[in-house]
Amino acid sequence: MEYFNIAETWDRQTIEANQLIRLRGTLERAALTPFYAKRLRESGISPQNLNSLEDFRKLPFTTKDDLRGQYPYGLATVPHSEFVRMHCSSGTTGTPVAVCYTQLDLNTWADLMARCLHMVGVRKSDVFQNMSGYGLFTGGLGIHFGAERLGCMTIPAGAGNSRRQIKLMMDFGTTAVHILPSYALYLGSELESYGIDPKSTSLRVAMVGAEPYTEETRRRIEQTFNIRVYNSYGLSEMNGPGVGFECPEQNGMHVWEDAYILEIINPETGEEVPDGEIGEMVLTTLCRQGMPILRYRTRDLTRIIPGECACGRKHRRIDRILGRSDDMLIVKGVNIYPQQVERILMKFPEIDANYLITLERTNNRDNMKVQAEIRDESFIEDFHALKNIEEKITRALREELLITPKVSLVPKNVLPKTEGKAKRVIDLR
Ligand code: AMP
Ligand code: ZN
């Protein structure tokens, strides 16, 4: 295995031995904050008496509300002058969740990110265009410093503005991009509208993440551009991107367990679930100096993929994020994830990337509407063909969801588009 960091070659024993050592150090640091000092005291855990990772599970979880409660500096373990940057988690309303980084933290993060990119073959010779929003969102600077760390010529293109993205890609010969799944397919059709075959560019690899997407969407992006697409997972609370990343096997994301402790729990009971079972991911930072976070409930639902990866790395793999526990919709008493809808839609080649789910209540009954943009405009005129696909999609959705949504196909660029993470659901109930 060609590796960037020696930790990629560690066996399980080495990984776990290191976790214990780093965890002790992390607890020592965390105990510098009143918040964690109290929690450690109350649960009877100290860096000195921590003998196994099992002991650590006595510590209560940290929730998003806990982090809000400590905003802005409550969890700082260094004087404020030691911080060199901050980021916020996206999409939150009210008090944000903010993370502050020391220079050491930024270096660790850039190394982790570089390791991810290196794993999928990104090298110094690549031209790396980062198409995610910069600013407070970690997908900008986080990925940027990882690519620079590898020595890539890095283009901080930012989000949106397809015309400029395309010009940069063509002029500088971009070979690797970081891009949101919802934007990737849109960019493909934009290229076509400029008369450029998306397969003809020098692009060869894309890191796609920051929001849930399905295997069908991955394959579609791969085919549109004739490139390889790798799933990238992270969250601001754990630095940002670089927590989990797919290897060339494209079969789950390795979570870097030398830098994070990974647990999957039953969200109701808080108990750890067996490998292979879906639950909520809980993460602990092991290498963060300025703001360690212990047993953080991410609200992201996934499972550990049992068994070893063919690539040889022993860091455990998580499956695609199914969604956040708070993404789940209850419609007519049935639990539904937007991803289930996407999976079905993407099976229809006639359907473009953008879709929207709207939930309404009329006469005390839930109604679910699914609107999807159609790829080929000429279709819109062919009433029978259109109705025929609508019916097929309705049937497929009913089979998957057990309820019958109202499906309507609309022309391209009709549904609202965001520059950041896509908004797939409008709940008017
Ligand atoms: P942020 O608030 O900007 O830090 O966003 C972090 C959240 O984005 C995570 O908790 C996930 O819900 C979501 N996310 C990030 N990467 C992925 C991914 N590859 N697949 C699905 N969801 C993701
Ligand atoms: Zn692997």
Side-chain angles (χ1 to χ4, degrees), residues 107-151:
N107 296 351
T108 313
W109 184 20
D111 273 343
L112 276 172
M113 203 55 244
R115 186 199 295 187
C116 296
L117 300 177
H118 180 273
M119 176 161 71
V120 296
V122 177
R123 294 291 182 274
K124 185 176 164 33
S125 49
D126 277 298
V127 176
F128 193 104
Q129 190 164 333
N130 189 5
M131 299 192 185
S132 80
Y134 275 61
L136 290 173
F137 176 52
T138 52
L141 292 173
I143 301 261
H144 185 100
F145 280 94
E148 275 192 7
R149 175 82 178 75
L150 278 181

Side-chain angles (χ1 to χ4, degrees), residues 80-247:
H80 303 172
S81 59
E82 289 303 307
F83 286 126
V84 296
R85 195 192 305 158
M86 64 82 72
H87 281 286
C88 276
S89 82
S90 60
T92 46
T93 47
T95 308
V97 167
V99 172
C100 303
Y101 308 72
T102 64
Q103 188 57 55
L104 198 72
D105 292 333
L106 289 182
N107 296 351
T108 313
W109 184 20
D111 273 343
L112 276 172
M113 203 55 244
R115 186 199 295 187
C116 296
L117 300 177
H118 180 273
M119 176 161 71
V120 296
V122 177
R123 294 291 182 274
K124 185 176 164 33
S125 49
D126 277 298
V127 176
F128 193 104
Q129 190 164 333
N130 189 5
M131 299 192 185
S132 80
Y134 275 61
L136 290 173
F137 176 52
T138 52
L141 292 173
I143 301 261
H144 185 100
F145 280 94
E148 275 192 7
R149 175 82 178 75
L150 278 181
C152 301
M153 143 83 167
T154 311
I155 307 178
N161 198 343
S162 310
R163 178 195 280 272
R164 193 180 57 187
Q165 299 282 10
I166 291 169
K167 178 154 175 58
L168 290 168
M169 281 176 79
M170 304 312 280
D171 292 352
F172 290 90
T174 300
T175 53
V177 290
H178 172 235
I179 189 167
L180 288 176
S182 45
Y183 189 58
L185 289 169
Y186 176 69
L187 188 70
S189 45
E190 282 291 279
L191 274 160
E192 276 167 6
S193 73
Y194 286 105
I196 303 166
D197 176 3
K199 291 186 178 66
S200 71
T201 73
S202 40
L203 194 64
R204 57 179 195 84
V205 57
M207 327 301 143
V208 177
E211 62 185 9
Y213 62 111
T214 59
E215 190 59 33
E216 284 76 12
T217 300
R218 181 231 296 274
R219 294 296 166 211
R220 200 180 255 204
I221 302 171
E222 289 194 329
Q223 281 155 16
T224 303
F225 293 92
N226 191 23
I227 57 172
R228 296 272 277 172
V229 165
Y230 298 100
N231 198 357
S232 154
Y233 171 81
L235 63 166
S236 323
E237 296 89 324
M238 297 287 126
N239 290 334
V243 176
F245 214 86
E246 267 181 345
C247 68

Side-chain angles (χ1 to χ4, degrees), residues 14 50-51 62 78-79 82 90-91 99 122 139 148 156 160 171 173 211 219 232 269 276 332 344 346 361 372 387:
T14 313
L50 185 86
N51 291 316
T62 303
V78 293
E82 289 303 307
S90 60
V99 172
V122 177
E148 275 192 7
D171 292 352
E211 62 185 9
R219 294 296 166 211
S232 154
T269 64
K332 296 184 180 169
I344 300 292
M346 289 304 128
R361 181 165 288 150
K387 285 292 150 211

